Amino acid sequence: MAATAGVSVATVSKVLNARYGVSAATSAHVQAVIRELGYEASLVAQSLRNHKTNVIGILVADLEPFSTELLKGAAKAIKGTGYELVVYSAGGRTVDHAGWEQRYLSRLSGTLVDGAILVTPTVVEVEFGQAVVAVDPHTGPTGLPTVDSDNLAGARMGVRHLVELGHRRIALIGGREDLESAKLREQGYREELAAAGIEPGPGLIQPGNYDADDSAAAARRLLERPDRPTALFAANDTSAIAAIEVAVAMGLRVPEDLSVVGFDNVPEAALATPPLTTVEQPIHEMGHRAIDLLIQLMNGEPVDNTHVRLATRLVVRQSTAALETERRA
């Protein structure tokens, strides 16, 4: 670049670092060449000079619907802050590998990012040396700042909807057993059935792991039962949509033969056939609030609450209906 600009390397360095000793005309010429060449200073070099990169890292286990929507909220929040985002995905290689986030944090630490957001981490006690915020963490609130939604109340809301429609054989396709969100959603399912005086029958709770294939297998087990459920609550929308596809493939009608409620309200929920009734957690806002909280921590600003919990709400669409009188039991 120095050769293109016709100046010394030292002059280019002074312009890049806004140091004195360069005339206004020469500085303007070098900056024009920088723009023309699309030059960007190395983050590592910048960090070594300034001990700051103005980059925030977001670590996700995989780029699935939840994390993708959360990234949209984070991207919106970052505008105008002077920070940039880098997304580091484990590519889904986290099954049975608790602690993946610590390994990937180690790769980003020191010179690449000023702080990090961990999305659905399996652990929340991490060594990083910089500010960290966990979204939908493994163990729930700890000493690490966290952002999540009210999973317990949301699950109760979704199951209550099915109870109010007259359903009593209500199955659950659960989430990842290592995540606090999945545990709370199952707890909400159980609590709401208990409040209605309903005992979940044996075998009506099946693992789905927030995974489409696992959830499809769980749905088939449930729907092949001679006393198959009339309604199903799934721990996320991916599981709910997989269950609907299995039901339709088996010749069942949704919602006439099976009512289905999901959780998350990702864009795919509204596009499902039929459109999915679901419990909405404000995923974009979760990403936004995580960025806001992290920047406050990085800047050393006082924070009133380092454990942010956002409300959920029920979104009723066409995948649920009242149970026909003759099928009530």
Side-chain angles (χ1 to χ4, degrees):
M1 184 175 65
T4 302
V7 298
S8 68
V9 172
T11 298
V12 172
S13 177
K14 288 179 180 179
V15 173
L16 286 172
N17 292 284
R19 293 176 183 164
Y20 64 89
V22 181
S23 69
T26 300
S27 178
H29 172 62
V30 171
Q31 289 174 3
V33 172
I34 289 172
R35 288 192 296 271
E36 181 181 347
L37 296 179
Y39 174 83
E40 287 287 346
S42 162
L43 288 178
V44 174
Q46 181 179 324
S47 175
L48 291 173
R49 287 194 303 270
N50 306 326
H51 303 290
K52 190 173 182 180
T53 64
N54 288 339
V55 175
I56 290 172
I58 300 186
L59 279 69
V60 298
D62 200 2
L63 290 172
E64 37 68 45
F66 173 82
S67 62
T68 300
E69 291 305 302
L70 188 127
L71 288 172
K72 293 177 183 178
K76 184 175 182 180
I78 210 76
K79 291 180 180 178
T81 65
Y83 287 94
E84 298 177 359
L85 291 180
V86 59
V87 180
Y88 197 113
S89 170
R93 301 186 302 272
T94 61
V95 178
D96 299 325
H97 290 83
W100 63 268
E101 50 283 293
Q102 182 62 70
R103 292 192 295 276
Y104 295 125
L105 272 178
S106 297
R107 298 179 186 181
L108 297 176
S109 65
T111 57
L112 292 179
V113 299
D114 295 336
I117 293 172
L118 309 179
V119 181
T120 62
T122 60
V123 296
V124 291
E125 301 302 333
V126 295
E127 296 180 6
F128 186 45
Q130 290 146 304
V132 178
V133 172
V135 178
D136 191 14
H138 169 63
T139 59
T142 65
L144 192 69
T146 58
V147 176
D148 64 9
S149 65
D150 197 338
N151 292 287
L152 180 63
R156 294 198 63 164
M157 202 181 307
V159 176
R160 187 180 310 129
H161 173 64
L162 294 171
V163 171
E164 289 173 348
L165 290 173
H167 295 279
R168 297 187 65 82
R169 288 196 303 280
I170 303 172
L172 169 70
I173 296 181
R176 270 175 48 187
E177 293 182 354
D178 63 312
L179 284 180
E180 184 75 0
S181 62
K183 296 174 184 177
L184 289 170
R185 291 172 198 182
E186 180 173 338
Q187 180 183 339
Y189 162 83
R190 292 181 180 275
E191 287 184 3
E192 195 58 35
L193 288 186
I198 301 172
E199 277 285 336
L204 285 185
I205 298 177
Q206 294 287 330
N209 302 313
Y210 291 154
D211 177 80
D213 292 337
D214 290 351
S215 297
R220 186 165 294 278
R221 288 193 296 271
L222 289 165
L223 298 177
E224 286 177 344
R225 295 166 57 104
D227 59 342
R228 62 174 173 80
T230 64
L232 187 153
F233 173 62
N236 75 347
D237 290 343
T238 296
S239 299
I241 293 169
I244 290 175
E245 291 172 351
V246 168
V248 171
M250 294 175 65
L252 299 175
R253 301 167 300 162
V254 178
E256 292 86 353
D257 298 318
L258 179 73
S259 284
V260 180
V261 174
F263 201 112
D264 281 341
N265 198 26
V266 296
E268 291 83 352
L271 301 175
T273 304
L276 180 66
T277 294
T278 187
V279 177
E280 179 184 87
Q281 58 174 337
I283 306 176
H284 285 191
E285 186 180 356
M286 291 168 72
H288 201 298
R289 294 289 289 273
I291 289 289
D292 289 346
L293 178 57
L294 184 65
I295 290 176
Q296 284 182 285
L297 295 170
M298 290 190 302
N299 292 341
E301 300 172 9
V303 177
D304 294 332
N305 182 15
T306 56
H307 298 307
V308 178
R309 175 156 293 169
L310 303 175
T312 49
R313 71 183 185 98
L314 181 68
V315 178
V316 179
R317 296 193 180 101
Q318 286 76 55
S319 68
T320 52
L323 183 63
E324 297 173 4
T325 305
E326 59 270 22
R327 297 183 63 213
R328 293 177 186 249

